[in-house]
Every structure is written in C-alpha cells, then in structure tokens.
Amino acid sequence: MEKAARIAEPSDGTRERPQEIGSFTFDDVHREGDLVYFKLGDHSGVDPYGYVWSPKRRPIDDAEDAVASSFEHVQGHWYRWSDSY
C-alpha cells in the first residue's frame, strides 16, 4: 500500500476508481496535498471512510466540505479516517 501511496495522483473530484492492492479492494485511492486517501466505502451512502497515508505529519480536520473528519493513528504513517457530513 505504501508503494501505491507514493505514486498516487491528485483527485480531480469527478470520479472514483476501484483499485485492487494486494488482497484489498478500495473504492478510490487519491492524493490530496501530502495525504493519500484509501477509501473503503461510506456509511449511509454519504460518509466516506478508510485509511490515510501521511508521511509528513499527523492529519488534521481541515476539510471545507465535511462536517467533521477524524483520524486515528494505526502505525507508522498510517491512520484510520472517516468523514461525517
């Protein structure tokens, strides 16, 4: 997954592309600044969740379009992530 994170491209916001990485299938993998999001799904068709790779810093809730973003450290540069709209 880290190899995929290093080559991920920025999101253009127009589509989600399922991607298989090892034995995992993600709804979308995209870069936003220095963070790479690995989306697993969403709750009730709205609230996305998954993992974030953040090699430079702990992610913070700075999304303008979400009511709340939460990040929970897993290990190394990896965090569990979810947004609530």
Side-chain angles (χ1 to χ4, degrees), residues 7-52:
I7 63 172
E9 297 179 6
S11 172
D12 62 7
T14 61
R15 65 179 177 183
E16 293 182 348
R17 301 173 295 141
Q19 294 187 29
E20 290 184 24
I21 301 172
S23 60
F24 298 98
T25 300
F26 296 96
D27 289 354
D28 184 41
V29 176
H30 68 275
R31 177 179 298 279
E32 291 183 17
D34 61 350
L35 306 179
V36 179
Y37 288 80
F38 292 76
K39 180 182 171 188
L40 287 169
D42 49 51
H43 298 290
S44 304
V46 177
D47 299 335
Y49 64 92
Y51 294 94
V52 171

Side-chain angles (χ1 to χ4, degrees), residues 49-71:
Y49 64 92
Y51 294 94
V52 171
W53 182 72
S54 182
K56 295 183 179 181
R57 61 181 169 83
R58 179 179 182 89
I60 57 171
D61 180 7
D62 62 356
E64 295 177 12
D65 61 346
V67 172
S69 295
S70 65
F71 302 96

